[in-house]
Amino acid sequence: MDCIFCKIVNKEIPADFLFESDKLVAFADIKPKAPIHILIVTKEHIVSIKELQDASLTAEMVMAAKKLAEEKKMEGYKLAFNVGRAGGQEVDHLHLHLMGGFN
Ligand code: AMP
Ligand code: ZN
């Protein structure tokens, strides 16, 4: 499958993982839209929030973002899921944007 995030998860494309769990990895966004911009990405190829039946995975993603924000000493931050093309989603593999470092 030609999915850039699957390739990163499978280490076919090198990336520094800032966080890793059994279900998730996190790495820096290649085109940061904030001083610190990290993507929390599922290991499983799930297209978007639209595919989910419950909040368990997204809850884990939010808690991973919170942990990273604490590690990076972010005073405040934005969390965003873009869902579908009309929602600004460009990469069709579930991810949460963590944007901070404004302080
Ligand atoms: P979205 O618009 O929500 O699908 O966000 C996709 C994000 O992935 C964008 O902010 C891109 O800058 C980022 N991105 C695309 N390719 C890579 C890559 N190879 N490594 C890191 N981030 C990437
Ligand atoms: Zn994928």
Side-chain angles (χ1 to χ4, degrees), residues 46-60:
I46 297 165
V47 173
S48 82
I49 292 259
K50 290 183 187 181
E51 315 261 292
L52 298 179
Q53 304 301 321
D54 63 67
S56 59
L57 201 48
T58 52
E60 282 190 40

Side-chain angles (χ1 to χ4, degrees), residues 18-100:
L18 305 171
F19 171 90
E20 182 166 10
S21 69
D22 57 334
K23 296 200 182 85
L24 306 173
V25 296
F27 48 86
D29 195 294
I30 204 167
K31 273 171 58 184
K33 291 157 199 78
I36 304 173
H37 187 170
I38 296 170
L39 300 172
I40 295 93
V41 177
T42 55
K43 285 187 173 174
E44 187 184 345
H45 181 84
I46 297 165
V47 173
S48 82
I49 292 259
K50 290 183 187 181
E51 315 261 292
L52 298 179
Q53 304 301 321
D54 63 67
S56 59
L57 201 48
T58 52
E60 282 190 40
M61 296 170 88
V62 169
M63 292 314 284
K66 175 177 177 279
K67 184 174 188 294
L68 282 159
E70 286 166 0
E71 284 173 10
K72 300 284 181 191
K73 310 223 180 305
M74 293 180 188
E75 178 67 25
Y77 46 91
K78 299 178 197 293
L79 297 176
F81 286 103
N82 294 332
V83 185
R85 254 347 135 250
Q89 186 175 6
E90 290 174 3
V91 176
D92 289 338
H93 181 132
L94 184 61
H95 56 279
L96 173 62
H97 294 261
L98 165 62
M99 291 167 285

